[in-house]
Amino acid sequence: MVLNGKLVAAKVQDEVRTGVAQLRAATGVTPTLAVILLGDFPPSQVYIRNKKVACAEVGIATQDHLFPSGLSEADLLKLIQRLNDDPAIHGILLQLPLLPGMDEDRVVEAIAPKKDVDGFHPENLGRLLAGSPTVVPCTPAGVLEILDHYGIELKGQEAVVIGRSRIVGKPLAHLLLARHATVTLCHSRTQDIAFHTRRADLLAVAVGRASVVTGDMVKEGSVVIDVGINRGADGKLTGDVEFAGASARARAITPVPGGVGPMTVAMLMKNTYLAARRQLGAT
Ligand code: GUN
């Protein structure tokens, strides 16, 4: 079975659209997301465009802070401070990566935790680790949403995550752990990745390199979640998993495109809506 992320994302966005309309009716306030993009990295430009389209579709207003030719770290920190202090802004989307030489940790920490709609602030990551998450990073949250939509049981399952990024791998491992999976987190220094993947009931791959997982590495009857988005020499998008080989063995698998990708955007909408609700006292 192919797990249809587009469908699940549309469902989430429908719920957010309804919620945003109700919030506006109750408070007169439109949830507003400030969008910060530094530089001209083409993938980031695509992501920002998609996120802005989604905002428009669900009724979230956006405020652009786009700096194609860059901005100093000091000025970026000043901008973030101003957005933190502005009650009309409910969420701050700082598209990563930042410019070379910038201190990502320092900049991410400057965002007020309540406006951190990506869930990257240490306070929000800490809450996730503590087991009482407030804002969950969008991509791992989207993975859980797909699994829940299709009723995929996690309790007691062997879950293997490849990739330990702050954006995906680490938070996803914790979300799966919170659902009582037995979690193995593999990464670039793992000695024998195939040893782990072959016993995975749930395999989630977030490396950012095509064909990291081939069909022979997939356990028969498992669930495969492909978080990768890679552009091939032919210009086509592919995931981190060889789809043909893996889908012959897996019971369920996410495609690329149309799998996890749309979920990241949908969960950003949800996080922004929920952040606005909390700030407007409409919990
Ligand atoms: N860069 C790659 N993925 C993401 C994401 O989910 N959020 C942000 N802000 N930047 C990213």
Side-chain angles (χ1 to χ4, degrees), residues 31-42:
T32 302
L33 178 67
V35 176
I36 308 176
L37 174 61
L38 307 183
D40 56 2
F41 184 50

Side-chain angles (χ1 to χ4, degrees), residues 53-187:
V53 167
C55 282
E57 282 172 3
V58 301
I60 292 173
T62 53
Q63 188 186 87
D64 282 351
H65 298 275
L66 313 178
F67 303 94
S69 50
L71 186 73
S72 73
E73 187 169 318
D75 284 343
L76 176 59
L77 290 169
K78 268 189 223 151
L79 169 63
I80 290 171
Q81 195 55 55
R82 186 156 63 71
L83 298 170
N84 284 344
D85 293 340
D86 183 347
I89 297 293
H90 307 101
I92 300 173
L93 167 65
L94 173 66
Q95 186 65 30
L96 302 177
L98 300 178
L99 298 171
M102 282 190 171
D103 184 341
E104 189 176 289
D105 287 345
R106 201 171 122 152
V107 177
V108 166
E109 275 184 52
I111 297 173
K114 66 181 180 186
K115 298 193 180 185
D116 166 36
V117 287
D118 269 312
F120 295 160
H121 191 284
E123 183 176 314
N124 289 323
L125 288 171
R127 286 183 196 280
L128 176 61
L129 182 61
S132 53
T134 311
V135 188
V136 177
C138 305
T139 302
V143 170
L144 265 287
E145 198 78 30
I146 292 180
L147 295 172
D148 287 345
H149 176 84
Y150 285 97
I152 291 166
E153 173 73 77
L154 296 169
K155 192 162 59 181
Q157 299 289 291
E158 291 291 332
V160 173
V161 177
I162 313 182
R164 57 176 158 179
S165 67
R166 163 160 66 183
I167 295 181
V168 186
K170 275 188 210 165
L172 180 56
H174 283 286
L175 289 171
L176 295 169
L177 193 57
R179 294 295 191 85
H180 311 293
T182 301
V183 180
T184 303
L185 187 49
C186 299
H187 48 78

